[in-house]
Amino acid sequence: MRILMACVSAAALAASVPALSQGQGNGNRGGNAHSDRGGGSSQADRGNKDAQRGGGNERRAERGDRADRGNAGRPDRADEQAQRGDRNTHRGERADRPADGDRRGENNRDRQAERDDRGQGNRHSESRTDRGNRGDQRAERGNREDRRADRDNGRDRDQARDLSERRERNLRVASERAERHRTLINRRDRRTDNRRDANGRDLADIDFYRERRWDGGDYRDRLGRARALQRTGWQSRFCPPGLANQNELCMPPGQYRKLYNRGARFDRRGYDLPEWYRASYRDRGLWGLFGGESNYRYANGYAYRLDPATQIVTALFPVIGGALGIGQALPTGYNVYNLPTQYRPLYRDDDFNYRYGDNAIFRVDPNNNRILGISQLLTNDFTVGRPVPSGYDAYNVPYGYRDAYSDDDQYRYRYNDGQIYQIDTGTQLVLAAINLFA
Amino acid sequence: MKKYIMCAPLAAMLLVTTACVKADDDNGDESATTTSAEAADGAPVASGEDLSIAENLAAVADLSTFNDAVAAAGLTETLGGAGPYTVFAPTDAAFESVENAREMLDRGGAPLVNLMSYHIVPGVVAVEDLRNAIEQGGGSAEIATMSGATLTARLDGDDVVISTGAGNQARITEADKAQINGMVHVIDGVLQPVAANGGGGG
C-alpha cells in the first residue's frame, strides 16, 4: 500500500514540474528566457538529464517533448538537440552526450552558461525536477527505512530481552560463586576444614584454588592459584605449557630471566659468585690487572659478569643446574641447534632436540623447550695450536683407542670432549684433534 | 661392592657369548672384539663392561647416596650416555662424614651439579695412568674435572690419594671398575670444591 502511495505521489510531483515551470510566468518563454540567460540547449539537456536521473524513459521522453515545446522559439540548434534528446530517450543519459558533442565549439560558452544557469533562473525548474525525482527516491528510501525500522525494533526488543536475561543470569552466577568463595575462605581461614588427601595435602586449599581457577581467570586468581599449588605441592603439575616452573611461580621464562639483563645495574652487592662456581667463572679483577674485586655474580640460575667499576651487567650465562636445570625451559637464544661439531653425529634433533650451553649438552623436549636431561658434560679445555691445558697429566684415552694412540717420546695423546688430541712433547702444543664420533 | 663381584662372571659370560656371535660376523666391530678378548683373558677385570656407569652406580648398595646425588643433579643420563668419563664415587660412609651433604643433596640445583661434576673426569683414567702421571710429575699429577676445577693425585704408600684445592682428600679404595662408557674408582671421601661448610650459595 505504501509503495502504491509513494508511486502516486512521485507521479504527481513529476507531473507538476512543467506546470510549475510554466507557472513561473513565461511559459515557453521561460525556456527562451533561460536560453537568453545562458543557452536553451543546455537547459534542455539538463532537463533530459534530470529526467533520466529521476524517472523512467517514458517520463523522460515526455519531459523531452516539453522541453522541445519550451524551446519552440529558440534557435534551431536547440530544437535539434531537443529532438535528438527525444529520439535518444531510450538510450538514457548517453542520449544527451551527442547533443553536447555537436556543439563542441560552444562548449566553453555552454559550460559558462551552465554555471550561470546554476546561479539563476534554471535553478527553479531544475531544482523542482530534482525535487520530484528526489521525492521518489526519498519515498522509496522512506519505505525501506520504515521496513528496516520495523525489523530493527523487533530485533532490539529481542536483544534487550536477551541482554537482560543474560545479565540476570550472570549476576545470579556471580552471587552464587561469591557465596561459595566466602564459604571456602572462611573454612580455610578458620581452619575448620582439616581434610587432607592421601599425601597429606590440604584439601580446603586445593578446593579453594580449584574453584578460583574458573573464576574469570584474572591475574590475582592465577597468582593465588600458583602459590596455593606450590604450597600443596601441585605446582609442577599445573604450570601451563610455556611458563617456567620457577621457585615461586609459573612465570613466562623471558619475564623471569629479565631480572638482570645486559646493561642493567646489578644491585645485589655482596652476593658474590658462590665459591663452588668460581672455578668455572674465575675472577679477573679490574681489567684483569688486579685480583681484587670479583666481577662475577650469581643470581636466579645465571652467572653475571659485571663491570667492576659500575656494577653494570656486561654478560650473563645460564648455569647448568640453575637456569639450565632439568625441567626448566631453555632460555631465549637456544632455539638453534648449536652442538660442537664432534658431537653432532651423536646427538641430532629428532624425537628430542639437543642444545649446548654452559659446557653441557642438554636433551630438550621439542614441544615445550623444557630440558629433559643432561646428555653430556664437556670442558672445552683444548684448542689446536695452543698449549695443552693443565689437568691432563694422566693418560686418559678410552680403552678402544689406546693401541692406536699411546704416548711415546715424540707425542702424547689426551682425550677431551669426544676427541683425542695429539700433543707435541717438546713444545706442549696441541697439534691435532681426532674425532671419535665421526 | 659385592654386586660388582657377582656381576663379574655373568658379564664375562655375556661378553664371551657376544664374542662368539661377533666372530661369525665378518663385519664385526673391532672395539667389541677387543673388549671381549680382554674379558676372556680376565684382565682388566670388567665388572660392568656391558653396563653404563649410571647403571652400575644404581646397582651398588654402598654407593646409594652418590647415586641419589647424581640423580638429583640430573646427571644420570650423562653417566648413562656416550661418555667416556672417569668417576670418583664416594661411598655412603664418606657422605655421612660430610656435615651438610644431605642438605646439599636435598637442595639440588647448581651447587649439587657442581659438586657432582667435581667427581667426574673426562676420558678413561685407570689407576695405573695416575701412578705413571704422578711419577712423571715428580710426586703429583693434576686431573681436570668436568666442573672446570682440577684435582691433584698423589701417592700415599701404595694408595692413590685425590685432593681438592680446598684441602679435602679421598683415597681410592676400589680401583678400575671399567664400564661400557668409562671407569669408576670408589673413594672414601667426598671431594668438595670448597671447605666442608662452604658449599652453599645457590
Side-chain angles (χ1 to χ4, degrees), chain A residues 73-202:
Chain A
R74 289 170 58 193
D76 292 340
R77 193 175 293 159
D79 289 345
E80 281 172 24
Q81 285 163 357
Q83 281 164 11
R84 273 187 214 126
D86 279 345
R87 283 197 298 272
N88 292 326
T89 46
H90 294 290
R91 290 188 201 164
E93 197 176 354
R94 276 177 301 174
D96 297 329
R97 283 176 193 155
D100 288 340
D102 288 341
R103 50 188 179 87
R104 268 174 206 148
E106 298 173 1
N107 265 352
N108 292 338
R109 255 187 323 197
D110 286 347
R111 280 179 198 145
Q112 183 60 44
E114 277 177 18
R115 280 196 291 274
D116 291 346
D117 284 347
R118 276 180 213 134
Q120 298 176 28
N122 277 343
R123 200 180 294 152
H124 300 292
S125 61
E126 180 191 345
S127 63
R128 277 166 198 157
T129 312
D130 271 352
R131 254 180 244 145
N133 294 329
R134 282 179 199 147
D136 290 349
Q137 290 170 345
R138 242 178 260 136
E140 282 179 22
R141 207 179 300 138
N143 289 337
R144 280 200 299 273
E145 281 169 3
D146 284 349
R147 285 196 295 273
R148 199 180 301 143
D150 286 346
R151 280 201 304 272
D152 288 350
N153 284 339
R155 203 180 301 147
D156 285 350
R157 275 194 299 275
D158 291 346
Q159 281 178 351
R161 197 168 49 241
D162 285 352
L163 199 68
S164 160
E165 283 174 3
R166 213 180 305 148
R167 207 172 286 149
E168 279 175 24
R169 195 169 54 241
N170 287 346
L171 280 171
R172 199 170 53 246
V173 168
S175 153
E176 287 170 7
R177 199 177 279 165
E179 186 54 38
R180 277 205 304 275
H181 287 167
R182 268 194 296 277
T183 312
L184 286 165
I185 289 166
N186 290 339
R187 204 190 294 167
R188 188 188 58 155
D189 290 349
R190 290 173 193 161
R191 289 284 160 204
T192 52
D193 184 358
N194 294 319
R195 291 176 301 140
R196 300 268 164 185
D197 71 357
N199 297 320
R201 290 177 301 208
D202 188 337

Side-chain angles (χ1 to χ4, degrees), chain A residues 32-45:
Chain A
N32 287 334
H34 289 206
S35 68
D36 289 342
R37 282 175 202 148
S41 64
S42 75
Q43 190 193 356
D45 287 345

Side-chain angles (χ1 to χ4, degrees), chain B residues 60-176:
Chain B
V60 180
D62 199 28
L63 300 178
S64 62
T65 310
F66 183 68
N67 182 57
D68 289 349
V70 164
L75 295 175
T76 307
E77 182 176 326
T78 319
L79 298 181
Y85 300 111
T86 296
V87 175
F88 295 102
T91 59
D92 289 352
F95 272 101
E96 280 170 18
S97 65
V98 177
E99 193 180 337
N100 59 352
R102 196 75 236 176
E103 183 193 330
M104 195 179 239
L105 202 151
D106 289 342
R107 196 193 304 165
L112 187 63
V113 175
N114 190 259
L115 177 67
M116 289 300 103
S117 56
Y118 213 66
H119 292 77
I120 305 171
V121 167
V124 175
V125 183
V127 163
E128 190 60 30
D129 300 323
L130 286 174
R131 288 181 192 280
N132 290 338
I134 291 166
E135 189 183 327
Q136 286 169 9
S140 69
E142 286 195 337
I143 315 160
T145 69
M146 302 312 295
S147 75
T150 55
L151 301 169
T152 305
R154 289 188 182 84
L155 285 177
D156 183 10
D158 283 344
D159 294 341
V160 176
V161 175
I162 309 294
S163 59
T164 69
N168 306 115
Q169 61 178 37
R171 190 178 302 267
I172 295 179
T173 54
E174 291 192 45
D176 295 342

Side-chain angles (χ1 to χ4, degrees), chain A residues 128-428:
Chain A
R128 277 166 198 157
T129 312
D130 271 352
R131 254 180 244 145
N133 294 329
R134 282 179 199 147
D136 290 349
Q137 290 170 345
R138 242 178 260 136
E140 282 179 22
R141 207 179 300 138
N143 289 337
R144 280 200 299 273
E145 281 169 3
D146 284 349
R147 285 196 295 273
R148 199 180 301 143
D150 286 346
R151 280 201 304 272
D152 288 350
N153 284 339
R155 203 180 301 147
D156 285 350
R157 275 194 299 275
D158 291 346
Q159 281 178 351
R161 197 168 49 241
D162 285 352
L163 199 68
S164 160
E165 283 174 3
R166 213 180 305 148
R167 207 172 286 149
E168 279 175 24
R169 195 169 54 241
N170 287 346
L171 280 171
R172 199 170 53 246
V173 168
S175 153
E176 287 170 7
R177 199 177 279 165
E179 186 54 38
R180 277 205 304 275
H181 287 167
R182 268 194 296 277
T183 312
L184 286 165
I185 289 166
N186 290 339
R187 204 190 294 167
R188 188 188 58 155
D189 290 349
R190 290 173 193 161
R191 289 284 160 204
T192 52
D193 184 358
N194 294 319
R195 291 176 301 140
R196 300 268 164 185
D197 71 357
N199 297 320
R201 290 177 301 208
D202 188 337
L203 281 174
D205 250 5
I206 293 165
D207 280 354
F208 175 74
Y209 286 103
R210 187 180 288 153
E211 196 67 34
R212 299 285 285 176
R213 270 178 78 185
W214 310 108
D215 187 19
D218 82 327
Y219 175 71
R220 278 173 300 179
D221 283 357
R222 289 201 297 277
L223 194 74
R225 184 170 67 85
R227 283 180 178 150
L229 292 172
Q230 187 192 9
R231 271 204 304 280
T232 53
W234 283 25
Q235 182 196 13
S236 56
R237 288 174 57 188
F238 282 91
C239 244
L243 293 186
N245 183 4
Q246 301 294 351
N247 289 333
E248 292 175 12
L249 295 171
C250 299
M251 293 175 76
Q255 184 186 336
Y256 184 78
R257 278 149 199 178
K258 276 175 187 169
L259 290 173
Y260 290 105
N261 223 329
R262 197 173 296 162
R265 185 183 299 277
F266 196 94
D267 56 6
R268 295 168 73 169
R269 286 174 185 273
Y271 189 32
D272 206 349
L273 192 73
E275 286 184 52
W276 48 261
Y277 221 78
R278 285 189 193 169
S280 303
Y281 296 94
R282 294 178 185 87
D283 292 349
R284 292 189 191 88
L286 200 58
W287 301 298
L289 297 175
F290 312 104
E293 193 178 357
S294 164
N295 54 358
Y296 278 94
R297 297 288 185 277
Y298 176 85
N300 307 311
Y302 280 78
Y304 295 89
R305 190 178 66 210
L306 310 179
D307 180 334
T310 62
Q311 297 290 300
I312 297 286
V313 175
T314 55
L316 63 162
F317 311 94
V319 164
I320 182 172
L324 294 175
I326 290 179
Q328 300 284 355
L330 272 180
T332 357
Y334 284 82
N335 298 329
V336 181
Y337 183 71
N338 63 347
L339 263 56
T341 318
Q342 66 269 30
Y343 283 104
R344 292 187 170 215
L346 216 59
Y347 303 106
R348 293 181 186 279
D349 283 0
D350 194 356
D351 291 339
F352 300 105
N353 287 345
Y354 292 93
R355 295 292 179 269
Y356 170 78
D358 195 26
N359 285 342
I361 293 172
F362 299 92
R363 184 166 58 90
V364 177
D365 186 333
N367 298 316
N368 56 20
N369 239 16
R370 282 187 187 280
I371 296 171
L372 298 173
I374 303 166
S375 299
Q376 198 82 34
L377 291 172
L378 290 82
T379 63
N380 262 335
D381 282 343
F382 281 80
T383 309
V384 173
R386 304 202 63 169
V388 63
S390 62
Y392 290 85
D393 294 344
Y395 182 64
N396 68 346
V397 173
Y399 277 142
Y401 301 91
R402 290 196 167 202
D403 289 342
Y405 305 103
S406 59
D407 289 357
D408 56 30
D409 291 342
Q410 197 175 357
Y411 303 114
R412 290 197 295 148
Y413 295 92
R414 293 294 179 268
Y415 168 85
N416 183 252
D417 292 351
Q419 292 181 314
I420 294 171
Y421 291 90
Q422 187 185 48
I423 300 153
D424 187 294
T425 48
T427 62
Q428 294 294 307

